[in-house]
Amino acid sequence: MIKSMTGYGKGNLNIENREYQVEIKSVNHRYLDISIKMPRMLSYLEEDIKKQISENIKRGKIDIFITFENNSEEGKNVEINKELAKIYINQLKELAREEKIVDNIDVIEIAKFPDVLKIKIENDDEQIKREIMEVTKEAISRILEMRKIEGEKIAQDLQQRIKNIQNKIEEISEKSTGLIEEYVVKLERRIKEILKSDEIDKSRIAQEVVIYADKCSVEEEVTRLKSHIYQFEKLISDNNKDSIGKKLDFIIQEMNRETNTIGSKANNLEITNRVIDIKTELEDIREQVQNIE
């Protein structure tokens, strides 16, 4: 089963005034590269989140964006920095004496000064972890579904292109079988023109034909191409969970190599044109394969 490396998934959770959101975006990449942006207070969860991602996604550039707001009253306490408040009070009293003004200092006004009051939050780390993992699981599920749908579209395109290549290979195979007979006729005609005689050394003709046949035969290349096509089709149709993008890319490289060999051997315009058609399809397939996990 083909899975695209391009996708997007989002998960949300709002529970007891704790709000979570996890967004996952992925694009094609040679390996698995995970990048996470989240509040510093959640940094202790980074490795757990990466592990959860890597268990479900094998290749791609993965960007994860996590937001968290804790509006719950649970675990929140207000602390007064008494030492700092005393410093403010003493400084204000000293200022009042120096300037001969009334030191009417109100506690409410002191509380407004920077850092006198501090809200201390004691989070339940295990509870937050469970909830973050739940939201991350939801986001992963959605991105996997999108990657699967995109993969199905890619598979359909690849199957059609491989079929086109298969048809061109059959045409090359049929055309190549007649090249020897054509060569014998042309060779005999040429020798008669040169010698101006109908008497021809058949053994010499046979030797030339063997040499020519060895040079222009594409039977081995055609056989290997058919084998590669079988492997390619099997990979994209098998219902497996393995990452197959790299395997498909390797097969395309081998098919391209065999096609180039046929092109170098071909001494026929029709075969050359079909080789060009195959190489064009292979290049399009290769571009598609770059986005397969």
Side-chain angles (χ1 to χ4, degrees):
M1 179 178 61
I2 285 183
K3 288 177 285 185
S4 170
M5 280 191 281
T6 302
Y8 173 81
K10 183 169 75 173
N12 293 283
L13 178 64
N14 190 333
I15 180 171
E16 296 179 357
N17 289 324
R18 290 186 298 277
E19 298 179 9
Y20 304 87
Q21 178 173 283
V22 176
E23 292 182 275
I24 305 177
K25 299 178 182 179
S26 70
V27 294
N28 60 318
H29 195 273
R30 191 173 181 182
Y31 305 107
L32 179 62
D33 181 14
I34 302 174
S35 176
I36 304 178
K37 292 183 179 180
M38 60 183 176
R40 183 175 295 180
M41 63 178 296
L42 299 179
S43 59
Y44 69 98
L45 295 173
E46 183 170 347
E47 290 305 315
D48 293 294
I49 293 170
K50 284 185 176 181
K51 182 180 179 182
Q52 190 175 15
I53 294 291
S54 62
E55 287 174 352
N56 293 276
I57 298 175
K58 304 305 177 185
R59 285 181 70 201
K61 174 70 173 69
I62 314 298
D63 290 309
I64 305 168
F65 305 91
I66 299 175
T67 58
F68 170 59
E69 291 185 15
N70 189 356
N71 300 313
S72 171
E73 298 298 325
E74 184 179 346
K76 289 184 178 180
N77 294 304
V78 176
E79 291 186 348
I80 300 176
N81 191 334
K82 294 181 180 180
E83 296 301 320
L84 182 60
K86 289 177 182 178
I87 292 173
Y88 280 130
I89 292 170
N90 291 334
Q91 290 296 317
L92 289 171
K93 285 184 176 181
E94 184 178 339
L95 178 64
R97 286 195 301 271
E98 291 176 358
E99 300 298 328
K100 295 183 174 57
I101 59 178
V102 178
D103 59 350
N104 186 18
I105 301 173
D106 191 274
V107 69
I108 298 299
E109 295 302 320
I110 297 297
K112 295 178 181 178
F113 288 168
D115 301 323
V116 172
L117 294 182
K118 183 178 179 182
I119 299 177
K120 185 177 181 182
I121 303 175
E122 295 180 357
N123 290 311
D124 186 339
D125 290 345
E126 284 303 314
Q127 183 182 44
I128 290 176
K129 178 180 178 179
R130 286 193 301 270
E131 292 168 352
I132 280 284
M133 290 305 170
E134 180 183 340
V135 185
T136 303
K137 183 179 180 181
E138 179 186 355
I140 290 173
S141 176
R142 290 182 177 177
I143 193 174
L144 288 178
E145 183 62 26
M146 181 176 286
R147 283 162 65 110
K148 179 183 175 183
I149 293 171
E150 184 67 21
E152 290 172 352
K153 294 179 181 177
I154 294 175
Q156 292 172 3
D157 182 71
L158 293 181
Q159 287 168 341
Q160 182 58 53
R161 294 186 184 280
I162 281 293
K163 186 177 179 180
N164 294 340
I165 291 174
Q166 201 165 15
N167 292 336
K168 296 299 178 182
I169 292 172
E170 293 297 337
E171 292 173 9
I172 289 174
S173 182
E174 291 175 8
K175 186 62 183 175
S176 65
T177 57
L179 291 180
I180 305 300
E181 289 78 5
E182 291 179 10
Y183 178 73
V184 172
V185 173
K186 290 179 181 179
L187 184 61
E188 288 181 347
R189 186 186 304 121
R190 183 61 177 159
I191 291 174
K192 289 177 181 179
E193 290 175 357
I194 294 173
L195 298 179
K196 300 185 183 304
S197 171
D198 291 335
E199 293 184 7
I200 300 174
D201 186 348
K202 295 295 183 181
S203 63
R204 181 59 180 167
I205 292 280
Q207 291 177 7
E208 292 294 333
V209 169
V210 169
I211 294 172
Y212 177 80
D214 186 58
K215 288 174 62 177
C216 72
S217 175
V218 296
E219 184 178 346
E220 290 184 13
E221 289 78 12
V222 167
T223 300
R224 283 195 288 267
L225 273 172
K226 290 180 178 179
S227 174
H228 293 325
I229 287 175
Y230 171 78
Q231 294 175 56
F232 191 94
E233 290 181 324
K234 190 172 187 299
L235 276 174
I236 64 177
S237 62
D238 278 0
N239 189 20
N240 59 69
K241 296 183 179 180
D242 296 333
S243 178
I244 63 172
K246 291 181 180 179
K247 295 178 182 178
L248 292 175
D249 189 49
F250 175 76
I251 292 174
I252 291 302
Q253 291 180 39
E254 292 301 305
M255 290 179 68
N256 202 52
R257 183 179 292 112
E258 301 297 342
T259 304
N260 286 335
T261 303
I262 292 175
S264 66
K265 286 185 174 183
N267 190 22
N268 179 274
L269 181 59
E270 292 183 40
I271 291 179
T272 300
N273 287 337
R274 285 161 177 77
V275 165
I276 293 172
D277 291 338
I278 291 174
K279 287 178 66 65
T280 300
E281 291 286 7
L282 285 174
E283 183 59 31
D284 290 338
I285 289 174
R286 191 171 184 276
E287 290 180 7
Q288 291 277 42
V289 166
Q290 299 308 307
N291 198 37
I292 294 175
E293 184 180 67

